[in-house]
Amino acid sequence: MSESVTALFESLVGAEPPHDVPVLFDTACVMGGSIAGLLAARVLSDRARKVVIVEPDETPAEAESRSGVPQDQQVHTLLPAGRLWIERWLPGVSQEAQDRGASLVGPDKQFVGYDDIRQARDGTDHQFLAVGRPLLESIVRDRVTALPNVSVLRAQATGLRYGDGAVAGVRLAGPVPGDGDQGEREEGDLAADFVVDATGRSSRLSNWLGQDDYDQPRLERLASPVNYATALFERPVKFPELEVATVLHLFTPQYPSGGVSVAAATAIEGQQWLVMLMGYGDNRPGRTTDELRARCAALPGILGDITSGDVTREVVTYRQADSRRRHFTEASHLPARLVSVGDAVASFNPVYGQGMSSAALHASCLASYLDGFADVGEAATEFFRLQQTVVDAAWAVSAGGDAARIDAENGTEVPKEIHRQRRAMERIAGAALVDPDVSRAFNNVSYMLRHPTTLFDPKLLEKATAAAERAAEK
Ligand SMILES: Cc1cc2nc3c(=O)[nH]c(=O)nc-3n(C[C@H](O)[C@H](O)[C@H](O)COP(=O)(O)OP(=O)(O)OC[C@H]3O[C@@H](n4cnc5c(N)ncnc54)[C@H](O)[C@@H]3O)c2cc1C
């Protein structure tokens, strides 16, 4: 990766949203009304006369789980980069979430431990938002749909319409069998002069493009079978000093706690602990609250105490087989006026917590693309190039970690350069436990504030080696 990619990534993370941008479109359509779609709609609301979000799920009146986002009962932490960007597009989201019981968690309220070693404080004030996924989505949705030119059309997108090599509209399905009394859905076509695909990791966009004689972006999959089990517990004021507790055993799948690789507790709204256990492959974290409690009790740290309280929601499990990304930059024949964002483009191993932050950065890519005098009569190559920078950065961290784990498990011999990079990453991750400077550099990358190349700075590697030696001498 070149230095300019690093600079581009950091300019996307650090840029201010532009003001007074010209209106480029009459009707922009966003397919999918979850986090990625809502943020794209926010960006487009400044650049289109009207923005229509097409979403098959009924909008829940309250912050409730919904079927179109089956992962929404699992832990969803908003990393500092995502929070920064959501705040820039929708100021006040964090405060509203806190007013409704979520926690803004700085370093002083976190315990991050690898087995029983606590990670060194990094001397920064980076803050996560610990919040239930339905609450965060409902706050974002209320703000976006309150914009005067944004509306939601309850329908399912089933394909695209074209004219002159550009997208000209979206095909909509009528009522879905078994939909019961959930209200009317629209059927027919919606004319639009800009379309965003935000339909999540099962996006059908690629199939539609193939059927319509356009290129299908290459789909890359990396097996990373993760099994989640998440439950909610009452949070009496037992640990007032702590709002996030995470214990990681990433490279020890046979840990005696039953193969749990990651355990996390986050303090969310309703005075509750949201407790998640994750295991890779055949390591299942259990399906019942008793199993979850037993595994937490075997872990180092305070997870055992946290889960000894009353349950407010029993265990909900979730399995995801792979990380995947679609390579739009490799497709040479795409229609103009079409982009794709969020999980529809790249969906990562969720344990790294990158999805919503990536979606927020995709929204900033969209703004940069449209405001950079994009020729919207051509395919959105420049948008996909900007977005690739963000996807590559996130992929390098999460998929890189998974590939290393899989190769280690299988005893696979890897090329020298990859071996060298992985050794460097291991050294940095190890040193981050004991050295605040290394911890800061490592966290900045994990939190998507800085590009992964910043970790390969020779001075940092030297420091990491010295820190590892000091730790070994203790
Ligand atoms: C177990 C798990 C844990 C995770 N934890 C975290 C975390 O801690 N932090 C984090 O940042 N991210 C996390 N993620 C990722 C996060 O859930 C997603 O990145 C985030 O929801 C953004 O996704 P999205 O908006 O692109 O898609 P989704 O949230 O999946 O939403 C897709 C939307 O498209 C709609 N839709 C589908 N088909 C159509 C259609 N044909 N027409 C119209 N609409 C359609 C759906 O109804 C839905 O509203 C986690 C994911 C999983 C699986």
Side-chain angles (χ1 to χ4, degrees):
M1 282 182 251
S2 70
E3 203 183 339
S4 65
V5 173
T6 313
L8 183 58
F9 178 81
E10 286 170 13
S11 72
L12 281 168
V13 172
E16 289 298 324
H19 298 284
D20 301 327
V21 292
V23 171
L24 299 170
F25 310 113
D26 183 50
T27 304
C29 172
V30 178
M31 305 182 288
S34 180
I35 296 288
L38 290 165
L39 293 172
R42 164 65 191 88
V43 168
L44 288 167
S45 68
D46 292 336
R47 294 154 180 90
R49 262 177 275 284
K50 64 179 184 176
V51 181
V52 182
I53 299 170
V54 170
E55 167 58 53
D57 271 0
E58 197 176 16
T59 305
E62 298 290 323
E64 283 166 13
S65 173
R66 62 187 181 88
S67 60
V69 185
Q71 72 273 26
D72 69 4
Q73 298 194 61
Q74 305 299 326
V75 65
H76 270 73
T77 303
L78 185 61
L79 298 178
R83 204 178 69 76
L84 191 76
W85 264 100
I86 290 182
E87 274 302 312
R88 283 181 181 163
W89 292 117
L90 300 167
V93 164
S94 302
Q95 188 56 56
E96 185 180 343
Q98 285 179 85
D99 293 346
R100 294 172 69 175
S103 315
L104 199 57
V105 187
D108 54 328
K109 298 258 173 164
Q110 291 171 44
F111 171 96
V112 180
Y114 290 74
D115 293 330
D116 43 10
I117 307 171
R118 185 174 186 157
Q119 185 177 334
R121 293 263 171 87
D122 69 5
T124 65
D125 190 28
H126 297 321
Q127 292 175 315
F128 294 91
L129 188 62
V131 60
R133 171 70 169 68
L135 176 58
L136 179 61
E137 184 185 301
S138 87
I139 294 173
V140 170
R141 184 174 46 240
D142 287 351
R143 284 168 186 250
V144 173
T145 55
L147 296 166
N149 61 344
V150 176
S151 60
V152 180
L153 184 66
R154 186 151 179 257
Q156 182 174 24
T158 55
L160 300 172
R161 277 204 298 118
Y162 309 91
D164 296 331
V167 168
V170 173
R171 296 187 193 285
L172 306 176
V176 171
D179 199 31
D181 58 358
Q182 288 186 3
E184 290 296 307
R185 287 177 188 235
E186 297 291 330
E187 189 168 13
D189 286 0
L190 172 77
D193 48 359
F194 192 78
V195 173
V196 179
D197 170 33
T199 56
R201 76 185 244 124
S202 306
S203 165
R204 308 268 309 148
L205 176 65
S206 189
N207 302 50
W208 302 340
L209 290 170
Q211 282 157 14
D212 298 330
D213 294 328
Y214 286 102
D215 282 357
Q216 292 186 281
R218 176 171 65 88
L219 174 64
E220 179 179 355
R221 287 177 152 175
L222 177 77
S224 62
V226 293
N227 308 302
Y228 267 55
T230 300
L232 291 169
F233 293 85
E234 272 184 8
R235 181 163 63 101
V237 199
K238 230 177 186 177
F239 305 104
E241 77 287 3
L242 206 65
E243 286 173 340
V244 168
T246 310
V247 185
L248 305 161
H249 310 267
L250 280 173
F251 292 98
T252 53
Q254 298 314 320
Y255 192 75
S257 61
V260 166
S261 290
V262 178
T266 52
I268 66 160
E269 64 274 10
Q271 277 293 318
Q272 299 171 100
W273 282 112
L274 189 153
V275 179
M276 174 279 270
L277 297 183
M278 190 282 277
Y280 281 107
D282 295 332
N283 293 304
R284 308 268 176 165
R287 296 192 158 270
T288 66
T289 306
D290 286 347
E291 286 172 304
L292 186 131
R293 278 199 174 115
R295 284 180 166 89
C296 284
L299 288 168
I302 59 161
L303 272 290
D305 289 332
I306 286 174
T307 52
S308 64
D310 286 342
V311 179
T312 53
R313 195 203 66 206
E314 298 288 343
V315 169
V316 176
T317 59
Y318 190 91
R319 180 172 167 84
Q320 182 171 294
D322 55 26
S323 299
R324 50 176 83 162
R325 62 184 291 190
R326 294 181 168 92
H327 289 270
F328 281 87
T329 49
E330 293 175 6
S332 55
H333 182 47
L334 291 173
R337 298 171 181 266
L338 173 71
V339 300
S340 185
V341 294
D343 284 18
V345 173
S347 135
F348 309 96
N349 177 339
V351 91
Y352 294 87
Q354 299 165 315
M356 299 187 296
S357 299
S358 293
L361 287 171
H362 294 181
S364 71
C365 293
L366 182 57
S368 293
Y369 162 67
L370 293 174
D371 301 338
F373 308 101
D375 180 356
V376 290
E378 300 289 329
T381 314
E382 181 59 16
F383 166 79
F384 291 119
R385 193 184 67 80
L386 285 173
Q387 185 186 52
Q388 186 185 17
T389 310
V390 174
V391 175
D392 282 347
W395 190 263
V397 172
S398 57
D402 280 331
R405 181 180 48 78
I406 292 164
D407 288 339
E409 278 167 19
N410 297 341
T412 310
E413 218 170 283
V414 294
K416 259 194 187 144
E417 179 53 23
I418 294 189
H419 183 70
R420 193 186 63 78
Q421 285 186 5
R422 286 182 184 170
R423 282 286 310 276
M425 273 305 282
E426 269 171 38
R427 224 184 321 158
I428 302 261
L433 295 177
V434 292
D435 185 290
D437 292 340
V438 182
S439 176
R440 184 162 53 248
F442 182 69
N443 286 345
N444 278 337
V445 171
S446 311
Y447 299 166
M448 295 188 71
L449 292 162
R450 308 241 21 222
H451 196 273
T453 46
T454 55
L455 293 181
F456 298 115
D457 172 9
K459 282 201 182 115
L460 187 73
L461 286 171
E462 231 172 77
K463 208 166 193 341
T465 307
E469 279 165 9
R470 275 200 316 275
E473 280 163 18
K474 278 187 187 165

